[in-house]
């Protein structure tokens, strides 16, 4: 507690200032009524404005900075009042540190402006190892040229110190943004700079990159089917050209309906004929999967095509080099214009559970990306299916987003939902929380495409399937006796151990050892 106390005394000594307010205590009775409430909300709004969207309130301290301390119930009520005031001004409480000084409680409450998820696109990288994925992204977000020996990839090839936005620890995540101009970060790992970008951008672009030598597929499945990427960035090194890994990754991106951009990178290392050869390889594999390649050569050209790129019809190919900075401006313009993909805000609420946490004082929290609809605190929802196919009725006790308590969240938001009415072991990854009673499905029929398999796939093939956040062993019963790499066909697929909630139209990835494939559910039934 010594360091906490030192921090508090430092704050107390500095006195109120930009973004820092002192309050002895706040009560519903006096501070949330009529004019008083308005005045306080106004003050909060002004404080947030002055401090670029982030304010701190110290509770339990006098105006003059004396650390008086208050009782625990007083502190709780004060924090609740701040919650309400924050809501009044479209902000939220996103941090609370509690200290005890000479028996009295003191709270340090952080309040931030809310960021709309709708102006935030998530881009996932793909491509052969060492083809320059991390370098390209590092250069885009920092604006710093690479030295050709791994200078700017360092921004991504580190384990993130904290798991943000519910992403897996094997994935690294960096962000940059746009207002009238592009906002880059001198050090993309600096929390302070990130906060600045988040608060000052009208549009945000986050990149999800696999860390170092983690196998792309294992980690990226979480990225693609987990937090719901909006776009794929396939990186192809000009000196190597298209490899089997490039082909496989492209197959997965497109099969998952992810609009994709191809960056031909390291163009400083090769001459024109080699670049052209690589481009024609890229065009060929795009045509095979039914997409229209488009050579995007200028910033001006972006406006014309960004709509078609967003629909997934057109795949732009951009020549880039983080060393010479060629092509970076074109990519900027693309990312600036590409919209958040349509999310099903109007459907009924549904979320696939990605992670489950036990939090003291709160209970079980399930996190994931809302697939459709809207959820509010107090909602009654179905949870399941359990192993026997049953669903529980549970209640949502609280909702957290970006470490902020919110009352409501909707499709596309990454949230943590505190669940009442289920025991910790009742909640598992791959289950859904839904407004309407979902189906528990054990068997379904799919169209599948084999991306890679050393021999042949036949009856009894048992890969692991990834649908939404479900990862589970299945058995295959293909319509034809055997299927080879590069072939597609119909197969009946059965979850080996238990049912899940799946339905027609969902896309999936399956793999077993070196074999991999993708598919779409055509019909469900037992
Ligand atoms: N000359 C040159 N080197 C590059 C370029 N892009 C990446 N590199 C280098 O290629 C190596 C591999 O890049 P990295 O980003 O780690 O690849 P990843 O495995 O796909 O993430 C690093 O040493 C980079 O410095 C480029 O455009 N030109
Ligand atoms: Mg990398």
């Amino acid at each position: 507690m010594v360091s906490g106390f030192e921090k508090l005394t430092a704050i107390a000594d500095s006195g109120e200032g930009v973004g820092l307010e002192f309050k002895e205590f706040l009560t519903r009775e006096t501070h949330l009524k009529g004019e008083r409430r308005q005045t306080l909300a106004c003050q909060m709004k002004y404080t947030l404005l002055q401090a670029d969207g982030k304010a701190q309130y110290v509770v339990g301290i006098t105006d003059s900075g004396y650390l008086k301390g208050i009782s625990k119930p007083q502190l709780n009520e004060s924090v609740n009042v701040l919650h309400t005031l924050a809501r009044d001004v479209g902000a939220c409480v996103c941090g609370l540190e509690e200290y005890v000084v000479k028996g009295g409680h003191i709270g340090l409450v952080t309040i931030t402006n809310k960021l709309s998820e709708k102006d935030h696109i998530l881009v996932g990288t793909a491509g052969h190892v060492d083809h320059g994925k991390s370098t390209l992204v590092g250069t885009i977000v920092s604006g710093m040229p690479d030295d050709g020996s791994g200078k700017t990839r360092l921004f991504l090839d580190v384990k993130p110190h904290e798991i943000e936005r519910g992403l897996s620890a094997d994935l690294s995540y960096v962000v940059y943004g746009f207002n009238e101009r592009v906002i880059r970060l001198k050090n993309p790992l600096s929390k302070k700079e990130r906060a600045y970008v988040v608060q000052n951008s009208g549009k945000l672009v986050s990149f999800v990159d696999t860390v170092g030598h983690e196998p792309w597929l294992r980690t990226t499945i979480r990225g693609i089917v987990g937090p719901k990427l909006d776009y794929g960035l396939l990186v192809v090194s000009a000196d190597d050209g298209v490899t089997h890994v490039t082909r496989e990754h492209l197959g997965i991106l497109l099969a998952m309906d992810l609009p994709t951009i191809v960056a031909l990178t390291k163009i400083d290392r090769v001459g024109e004929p080699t670049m052209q050869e690589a481009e024609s390889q890229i065009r060929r594999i795009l045509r095979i999967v039914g997409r229209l390649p488009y050579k995007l050569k200028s910033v001006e050209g972006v406006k014309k095509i960004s709509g078609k790129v967003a629909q997934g019809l057109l795949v732009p190919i951009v020549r880039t080099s983080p060393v010479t900075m060629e092509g970076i401006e074109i990519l900027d313009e693309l990312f600036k214009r590409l919209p958040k993909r349509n999310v099903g805000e109007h459907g009924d609420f549904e979320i696939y559970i990605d992670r489950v946490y036990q939090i003291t004082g709160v209970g079980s929290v399930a996190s994931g990306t809302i697939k459709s609809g809207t959820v509010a605190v107090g909602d009654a929802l179905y949870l399941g299916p359990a192993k026997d196919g049953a669903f529980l009725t549970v209640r949502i006790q609280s909702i957290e987003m970006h470490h902020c308590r919110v009352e409501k969240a909707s499709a596309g938001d990454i949230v943590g939902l505190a669940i009442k009415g289920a025991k910790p072991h009742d909640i598992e990854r791959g289950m859904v929380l839904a407004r309407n009673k979902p189906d528990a499905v054990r068997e379904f029929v799919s169209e599948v495409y084999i991306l890679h398999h050393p021999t042949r796939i036949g009856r009894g093939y048992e890969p692991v399937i990834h649908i939404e956040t479900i990862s589970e062993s299945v058995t295959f019963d293909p319509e034809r006796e055997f299927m080879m790499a590069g072939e597609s066909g119909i197969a009946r697929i059965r979850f080996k151990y238990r049912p899940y909630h799946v339905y027609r139209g969902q896309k999936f990835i399956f793999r077993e050892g070196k074999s991999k494939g993708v598919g779409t559910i055509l019909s469900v039934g037992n």
Side-chain angles (χ1 to χ4, degrees):
M1 272 290 145
V2 176
S3 65
F5 183 68
E6 280 170 0
K7 184 173 161 184
L8 269 184
T9 30
I11 289 175
D13 288 347
S14 72
E16 287 184 299
V18 175
L20 187 63
E21 293 284 333
F22 291 175
K23 298 283 175 209
E24 195 172 326
F25 61 87
L26 298 162
T27 68
R28 255 180 235 114
E29 197 54 46
T30 47
H31 299 96
L32 287 185
K33 291 256 164 77
E35 216 169 298
R36 194 71 187 268
R37 177 168 179 168
Q38 260 183 4
T39 312
L40 283 167
C42 236
Q43 184 190 49
M44 183 179 281
K45 196 159 186 167
Y46 182 68
T47 306
L48 283 166
L49 214 71
Q50 271 189 320
D52 281 332
K54 185 171 175 182
Q56 286 195 307
Y57 279 73
V58 188
V59 184
I61 191 170
T62 65
D63 280 345
S64 58
Y66 169 59
L67 293 168
K68 196 171 167 197
I70 50 179
S71 73
K72 178 77 180 163
Q74 273 182 314
L75 177 61
N76 288 347
E77 182 164 2
S78 303
V79 173
N80 279 332
V81 169
L82 287 173
H83 266 292
T84 308
L85 293 171
R87 243 188 340 261
D88 286 353
V89 301
C92 61
V93 171
C94 72
L96 169 62
E97 291 171 36
E98 287 187 40
Y99 302 97
V100 181
V101 177
K102 290 190 216 129
H105 292 261
I106 290 165
L108 185 59
V109 184
T110 308
I111 291 164
T112 57
N113 272 332
K114 264 187 249 179
L115 161 76
S116 165
E117 276 299 315
K118 314 310 171 219
D119 304 318
H120 187 178
I121 62 170
L122 213 58
V123 180
T125 61
H128 204 115
V129 71
D130 280 343
H131 270 208
K133 298 179 290 293
S134 305
T135 302
L136 183 60
V137 170
T139 292
I140 290 173
V141 297
S142 69
M144 205 183 286
D146 186 51
D147 58 0
S149 342
K151 185 175 170 195
T152 64
R153 72 169 169 198
L154 289 179
F155 295 130
L156 290 116
D157 278 359
V158 288
K159 293 257 178 199
H161 291 294
E162 57 187 300
I163 299 164
E164 287 180 84
R165 313 192 72 238
L167 297 177
S168 149
D170 302 332
L171 299 171
S172 179
Y173 149 76
V174 288
V175 65
Y176 84 134
F178 301 91
N179 44 30
E180 298 85 57
R181 303 175 52 186
V182 49
I183 310 179
R184 301 189 209 268
L185 296 84
K186 282 200 187 67
N187 174 11
L189 296 172
S190 150
K191 254 178 142 173
K192 219 168 133 186
E193 279 196 67
R194 282 187 194 209
Y196 178 83
V197 170
V198 169
Q199 276 148 26
N200 292 282
S201 301
K203 162 87 177 272
L204 281 175
V205 182
S206 287
F207 293 94
V208 184
D209 191 43
T210 47
V211 172
H213 297 285
E214 292 294 335
W216 182 82
L217 192 68
R218 198 180 75 210
T219 49
T220 306
I221 280 171
R222 286 192 79 102
I224 292 180
V225 301
K228 283 289 166 249
L229 297 177
D230 295 296
Y231 297 95
L233 177 63
L234 181 72
V235 175
V236 183
S237 142
D239 50 2
D240 256 7
V242 169
T243 69
H244 74 281
V245 174
T246 316
R247 234 174 264 130
E248 213 169 88
H249 289 187
L250 181 71
I252 290 169
L253 293 177
L254 297 181
M256 299 313 288
D257 271 343
L258 209 59
T260 294
I261 297 142
V262 179
L264 182 72
T265 194
K266 304 198 194 185
I267 59 165
D268 58 290
R269 290 171 63 147
V270 301
E272 184 62 32
T274 316
M275 271 185 253
Q276 285 187 11
E277 168 56 25
E279 279 165 347
S280 82
Q281 290 172 353
I282 294 167
R283 278 198 299 272
R284 216 174 307 137
I285 58 162
L286 283 171
R287 289 213 180 92
I288 290 174
V289 290
R291 297 308 200 279
L292 213 61
Y294 180 88
K295 198 163 159 181
L296 181 58
K297 286 193 268 192
S298 69
V299 172
E300 295 72 46
V302 175
K303 199 173 164 185
K304 252 190 353 224
I305 62 151
S306 57
K308 288 191 181 112
V309 174
Q311 287 162 22
L313 302 170
L314 207 73
V315 178
I317 305 168
V318 187
R319 289 184 177 187
T320 65
S321 164
V323 170
T324 65
M325 299 301 277
E326 238 179 297
I328 303 295
E329 277 189 341
I330 300 179
L331 290 177
D332 283 343
E333 188 66 21
L334 251 180
F335 292 129
K336 187 171 140 190
R337 288 187 177 273
L338 288 176
K340 179 92 189 163
R341 284 202 302 151
N342 279 339
V343 285
E345 251 180 84
H346 302 298
D348 289 311
F349 176 74
E350 186 177 283
I351 187 170
Y352 277 87
I353 296 171
D354 189 25
R355 284 156 172 253
V356 185
Y357 309 88
Q358 298 304 323
I359 295 174
T360 21
V362 177
S364 300
V365 174
S367 75
T369 307
I370 299 177
K371 198 167 163 63
S372 62
T374 299
V375 66
V377 172
D379 280 0
L381 301 171
Y382 290 100
L383 165 75
K387 282 197 176 62
D388 61 0
F391 288 87
L392 282 175
T393 311
V394 297
R395 206 164 273 283
I396 300 305
Q397 208 167 17
S398 65
I399 305 173
E400 209 168 277
M401 204 163 115
H402 289 296
H403 312 292
C404 290
R405 281 281 178 97
V406 294
E407 289 296 306
K408 252 168 76 169
S410 57
D413 289 335
I414 298 169
V415 291
L417 303 173
I419 296 171
K420 206 176 163 182
K423 299 203 175 65
H425 63 262
D426 290 334
I427 313 170
E428 286 175 57
R429 179 156 198 248
M431 287 181 172
V432 290
L433 279 161
R435 175 106 41 217
N436 295 331
K437 190 163 186 187
D439 294 321
V441 174
R442 193 67 190 263
E443 231 177 77
F444 52 92
V445 175
S446 298
E447 175 160 39
V448 294
Y449 178 75
I450 316 295
L451 286 162
H452 182 78
H453 194 265
T455 56
R456 309 182 293 182
I457 283 174
R459 193 162 180 187
Y461 170 59
E462 292 193 352
V464 170
I465 200 166
H466 303 270
I467 311 178
E468 311 286 348
T469 61
I470 303 164
S471 311
E472 185 70 78
S473 294
V474 291
T475 51
F476 263 54
D477 187 0
E479 206 172 67
R480 265 182 290 132
E481 200 178 348
F482 292 111
M483 288 170 65
M484 312 275 289
E487 288 183 347
S488 57
I490 307 290
R492 177 165 278 278
I493 296 173
R494 182 175 170 82
F495 289 116
K496 264 183 91 171
Y497 304 110
R498 56 172 299 164
Y500 284 96
H501 172 57
V502 296
Y503 46 91
R504 185 190 149 89
Q506 278 176 316
K507 311 268 178 179
F508 56 83
I509 300 172
F510 56 90
R511 63 198 176 106
E512 193 265 321
K514 282 186 173 163
S515 74
K516 294 171 195 85
V518 292
T520 308
I521 299 181
L522 299 178
S523 67
V524 298
N526 292 307

